[in-house]
Amino acid sequence: MTEPTNAHSSQTPAAKAQPLNRPVPKRRFGGTAAQILSALKFYKVLAYATGIMLLLLVVELVLRYVFGSVLVAGGTNVLTGQAHSFGLVNIDGDAMAVTGGVNLSTLVLIAHGWMYVVYLIADFRLWTLMRWPFGKLVLIALGGVVPFLSFFVEAKVHKEVLAEVAANPGATKRY
């Protein structure tokens, strides 16, 4: 008796292990290499600025909630009537002993908030040009929320972008 031959069983294991000769899909970016490198530079500046502002924000929150003080420039001391130049002022509830000065602690809060918005714009711009998955955008966005994380994420993203752009010099634009 002859055994039925199977087309799949006639191949040797070595033949099965060889990859098919499919062309490797070309990497497609959302812009040119110059646009990507420009977005990377913008992201890098905002990552460092946001990281520094976040560290200032942490210091401000510690001063406010641990020591009950805010940083004030200028104004007049309500209790003594003397001019206040620059320094920490104790707060009781929401009342300060200095009026007419600039509350630098509040300015740090506002500046960080707006800088984080611009940082998110930089993240989004880089993310769309690189055409990364959504999870990567979330990870990059967390860099402006967790102290010190923006510095580490920026270094990783910077290396990755440069490597991808260098590895795909002929990558086509999305449109």
Side-chain angles (χ1 to χ4, degrees):
M1 262 207 267
T2 60
E3 293 182 22
T5 58
N6 188 349
H8 296 292
S9 64
S10 64
Q11 293 179 348
T12 64
K16 289 181 184 178
Q18 292 178 352
L20 298 174
N21 291 334
R22 293 184 190 161
V24 176
K26 213 175 204 186
R27 175 72 161 94
R28 295 175 67 94
F29 295 120
T32 64
Q35 289 172 324
I36 292 170
L37 295 177
S38 173
L40 181 64
K41 205 176 289 184
F42 182 58
Y43 164 73
K44 183 176 186 162
V45 169
L46 266 296
Y48 279 102
T50 302
I52 290 168
M53 289 304 296
L54 183 58
L55 293 177
L56 287 174
L57 177 66
V58 169
V59 169
E60 191 278 327
L61 292 175
V62 168
L63 285 174
R64 181 180 300 254
Y65 294 111
V66 175
F67 297 107
S69 299
V70 292
L71 188 60
V72 178
T76 306
N77 190 323
V78 176
L79 303 174
T80 63
Q82 293 179 337
H84 175 78
S85 59
F86 179 80
L88 294 174
V89 175
N90 288 335
I91 53 174
D92 295 321
D94 286 335
M96 284 193 312
V98 174
T99 60
V102 177
N103 188 340
L104 297 176
S105 295
T106 302
L107 287 179
V108 167
L109 293 169
I110 294 169
H112 170 70
W114 282 106
M115 193 165 290
Y116 184 68
V117 170
V118 178
Y119 172 75
L120 289 177
I121 292 169
D123 296 350
F124 184 77
R125 181 173 177 228
L126 185 62
W127 175 74
T128 55
L129 289 174
M130 292 302 294
R131 298 187 66 189
W132 282 326
F134 182 73
K136 187 120 181 165
L137 176 66
V138 172
L139 175 69
I140 295 171
L142 284 176
V145 177
V146 179
F148 295 106
L149 187 60
S150 68
F151 305 114
F152 297 109
V153 171
E154 185 281 325
K156 183 178 184 289
V157 166
H158 191 85
K159 286 179 191 173
E160 189 172 332
V161 169
L162 291 179
E164 280 192 52
V165 170
N168 299 289
T172 57
K173 290 175 28 174
R174 173 182 52 169
Y175 45 84

